[in-house]
Amino acid sequence: MPELPEVETAARDLAAHVGGARIAALQHLDWPRLIAPLDPEGFGAAIKGQVIQRVSRRAKWLLLELSGGLTLAVHLRMSGSLFVPRPEERVDAHTRLVLALSDGRTLHFRDVRKFGRMRLLDAAGLAALDAAHGPEPLADAFTPACLKGILRGRTTRIKPLLLDQSLIAGIGNIYADEALWHSQLHPERPADSLRANEVQRLHEAIRFVLDKAIRLRGSTLRDYRTGTGESGENQDHFLVYGRTGAPCGRCHTALIRCVVAQRGTHLCPHCQTLPPARGSARTATPRAR
DNA sequence: CATTACCTGCAA
DNA sequence: TTGCAGGTAATG
């Protein structure tokens, strides 16, 4: 799932709904690896009675700051969601963990594929998590010059670079494809081959697609839910992701799907072209006709 | 850089 | 039955 806009939406909802709430107990856990290396007893003891003082996001991590000084860091990975369900909502087969709150409500972690993880971090652990990630693309500090600096000297293809959390935080497969379409860049362009105006376009596109997705409360393809258990709306606004064969919104050419760095990749073959590699002009095999 | 692993469900 | 899915870590 869950890329920056989805995690941001969940964080904002949870801040509004469980900020200040007290955790009464670990009520349900059916996937112990979720909280490893702690065992259910140790985890339960550590969170019992803690007040959720603040909820925030760093990269694709949800951060629940607890009154005792520890932070419950939650990564949703592919199919996780963390939400306060409506009172009548039941624990289903994919609900991996339930925290009982002292006001009678519950906080559900649901995760079909069981890839999600929770960790209890002290200040040093939190600092390490922060240091492992690149800048937040929606922060003021993320300027075109900042992006240019990240690309400089890197010969890797631009799409996998955008997915590298240690370089830029929070972009995943959907928003990488969307941002590259908006900036009319081929996903296999070498990162350091972008001209100044292309870097500028990419910078603007990244911020545009992420901001728009947050305004629409994230994208729900299958499993993602906001912090209140609702679906997002942004999936109805994709320009390329998952739209193979549909007409490009700029030129009406049929969009294509290919694989780049082992990830399904969607693009317009007319708007997003790969310039000939340097030196290949004279050596390339002439095409037919 | 690519492959495999981690998991489950769903559509072709 | 096969391939694919919003992510990432481990391993050649």
Side-chain angles (χ1 to χ4, degrees):
Chain A
M1 105 155 184
E3 306 182 28
L4 186 154
E6 290 74 35
V7 183
E8 178 66 24
T9 300
R12 291 180 186 182
D13 286 350
L14 293 173
H17 288 269
V18 300
R22 184 179 297 276
I23 298 170
L26 172 61
Q27 186 176 99
H28 168 86
L29 176 70
D30 86 343
W31 184 244
R33 288 185 64 176
L34 172 63
I35 57 169
L38 291 181
D39 56 25
E41 293 68 36
F43 181 81
I47 60 170
K48 191 182 178 80
Q50 297 283 307
V51 173
I52 301 169
Q53 292 188 316
R54 209 170 86 86
V55 183
S56 61
R57 175 193 62 77
R58 171 70 172 116
K60 297 173 190 171
W61 287 89
L62 274 170
L63 302 174
L64 282 66
E65 191 180 315
L66 304 180
S67 44
L70 296 180
T71 294
L72 179 59
V74 181
H75 201 300
L76 306 172
R77 293 284 183 96
M78 289 291 267
S79 61
S81 50
L82 183 67
F83 59 97
V84 180
R86 312 167 73 96
E88 68 275 15
E89 183 151 345
R90 315 228 2 214
V91 171
D92 71 9
H94 300 118
T95 303
R96 307 302 175 193
L97 174 147
V98 176
L99 298 183
L101 303 178
S102 59
D103 59 16
R105 294 180 301 158
T106 53
L107 189 54
H108 285 206
F109 182 79
R110 190 173 178 278
D111 187 12
V112 171
R113 294 179 68 181
K114 302 179 176 173
F115 290 163
R117 292 295 180 262
M118 291 188 182
R119 299 164 56 190
L120 273 172
L121 303 177
D122 59 13
L126 200 55
L129 183 150
D130 181 57
H133 293 90
E136 287 291 332
L138 294 178
D140 291 343
F142 185 72
T143 59
C146 174
L147 177 58
K148 185 180 175 188
I150 291 168
L151 305 184
R152 181 159 52 227
R154 298 187 191 274
T155 57
T156 182
R157 296 165 296 178
I158 188 66
K159 174 164 174 178
L161 182 146
L162 292 176
L163 298 176
D164 185 335
Q165 301 299 296
S166 73
L167 299 179
I168 306 173
I171 300 174
N173 206 37
I174 292 176
Y175 301 106
D177 282 4
E178 293 291 317
L180 290 168
W181 180 85
H182 277 279
S183 41
Q184 302 184 56
L185 293 170
H186 191 283
E188 299 188 290
R189 283 285 299 279
D192 66 354
S193 76
L194 270 57
R195 326 270 305 182
N197 68 319
E198 293 175 324
V199 175
Q200 181 91 33
R201 264 157 41 202
L202 179 59
H203 175 267
E204 185 179 357
I206 288 169
R207 292 170 62 119
F208 174 78
V209 300
L210 296 176
D211 179 71
K212 174 184 167 193
I214 290 172
R215 284 187 271 113
L216 291 167
R217 299 180 53 72
S219 303
T220 297
L221 299 184
R222 280 169 288 274
D223 306 300
Y224 169 70
R225 298 290 119 129
T226 69
T228 52
E230 318 286 319
S231 292
E233 303 293 335
N234 190 241
Q235 64 280 2
D236 300 328
H237 297 256
F238 292 158
L239 276 298
V240 278
Y241 184 83
R243 303 193 66 236
T244 311
C248 170
R250 266 190 306 262
C251 73
H252 306 109
T253 301
L255 300 172
I256 61 170
R257 178 190 180 278
C258 59
V259 174
V260 176
Q262 288 70 246
R263 306 301 300 275
T265 297
H266 309 80
L267 65 113
C268 172
H270 177 75
C271 296
Q272 297 170 264
T273 57
L274 201 53
R278 280 200 329 187
S280 70
R282 293 176 184 284
T283 56
T285 308
R287 284 188 305 241
R289 322 187 54 234

